[in-house]
Amino acid sequence: MHTAGAFLAALESLSSGDELRKYKRAFPLARRGGDRFLGVPMGTVFDLARSSADMPLDEVEALLDSPWHEARAGAVSIMDFQARSPSTPPLRRRELYDLYLRRHDRIDSWDLVDRAAVHVVGSYLADKPRDPLYGLAHSPRPSERRTAIVAATYFVGLGDPHDLFEIAALLADDPDESVQKATGWALRAVGTPGLEAFLDRCAPRMTRVALRYAVEKLPRGARDRYLKAS
């Protein structure tokens, strides 16, 4: 399936009423009519995306324009597969990054961000200035702020958590729960001693949700101490 039309046709043939009900329970916006689902399991969407991993970017963008959540999940999955591939040339990596940021209006929920931000955005910026992430961290859109912290987790794998800590500090008291959760689990993934040094500085102003996620794997005494500080 190398076109958006073929991908959508495959999705429509695989829709399930039972799966649609699950989505409506999991995604509040779907219950309020703010997002539309066909009812296709995400595992199936990912399999379709894997088989379409060489889809041209203009067709991927057409999928991003779809009103169906699963189509947009397919689009970001294809972008992720391309970004991860060792055979993807530098120019295409730049095009993937540009498409992600240019059409962030269509990457508008936590699951879509998490599916592609690490490798499409974070990996691309690994050897470049990280200023774009700080711009995203100041965005009025929660999905863009979530991209900032999720993409920064890529640098942790390189042994370079500095930008993650700086972005987490910017988002420490973020009003959106999806950003709070991402900030907390991103910090948790760094671990000690860097995590505790960050918490010594920022725990008092962190949201409760972010803090609970961040301290989840700390020893009980340290966990209780930081939770009492907020």
Side-chain angles (χ1 to χ4, degrees):
M1 290 170 289
H2 299 346
T3 68
F7 196 97
L8 283 166
L11 286 177
E12 289 169 358
S13 72
L14 294 165
S15 63
S16 156
D18 287 342
E19 198 66 27
L20 181 57
R21 284 186 284 274
K22 291 179 186 177
Y23 279 129
K24 288 184 176 180
R25 288 195 296 270
F27 289 83
L29 278 177
R31 294 195 296 271
R32 299 195 295 268
D35 204 353
R36 298 174 65 188
F37 289 83
L38 286 163
V40 181
M42 275 300 147
T44 301
V45 175
F46 299 156
D47 288 342
L48 289 174
R50 187 176 290 107
S51 68
S52 307
D54 57 352
M55 184 181 287
L57 288 192
D58 59 339
E59 296 292 334
V60 174
E61 184 167 2
L63 279 180
L64 284 175
D65 275 324
S66 172
W68 300 111
H69 190 96
E70 294 95 330
R72 286 179 282 128
V76 293
S77 296
I78 292 168
M79 293 168 71
D80 178 70
F81 287 131
Q82 291 189 14
R84 287 174 185 259
S85 173
S87 64
T88 299
L91 177 59
R92 173 53 65 90
R93 295 182 188 281
R94 173 63 194 237
E95 291 171 341
L96 289 163
Y97 169 81
D98 287 344
L99 176 60
Y100 185 107
L101 294 187
R102 181 167 56 80
R103 297 312 313 271
H104 212 315
D105 62 313
R106 306 301 296 157
I107 304 172
D108 57 356
S109 66
W110 65 266
D111 61 314
L112 301 182
V113 167
D114 292 1
R115 187 68 185 91
V118 175
H119 290 279
V120 175
V121 179
S123 176
Y124 178 75
L125 292 175
D127 59 352
K128 300 173 181 66
R130 281 82 182 269
D131 304 58
L133 296 186
Y134 291 86
L136 290 169
H138 286 100
S139 170
R141 294 178 176 174
S143 61
E144 295 188 358
R145 301 197 301 275
R146 186 167 175 123
T147 286
I149 191 68
V150 172
T153 63
Y154 185 85
F155 312 141
V156 176
L158 304 177
D160 179 16
H162 172 77
D163 289 290
L164 187 144
F165 284 135
E166 292 300 305
I167 291 167
L170 293 174
L171 302 177
D173 56 353
D174 195 276
D176 186 85
E177 187 173 288
S178 74
V179 180
Q180 296 168 17
K181 289 179 177 179
T183 301
W185 63 247
L187 287 167
R188 182 183 65 207
V190 178
T192 57
L195 172 59
E196 291 195 57
F198 175 87
L199 293 173
D200 289 341
R201 177 166 58 102
C202 296
R205 64 185 184 84
M206 289 177 69
T207 66
R208 196 71 172 174
V209 169
L211 188 57
R212 283 193 176 279
Y213 273 75
V215 304
E216 190 174 30
K217 293 186 178 180
L218 292 179
R220 182 173 181 177
R223 186 169 65 243
D224 291 345
R225 175 164 55 87
Y226 288 122
L227 288 173
K228 287 176 183 176
S230 67

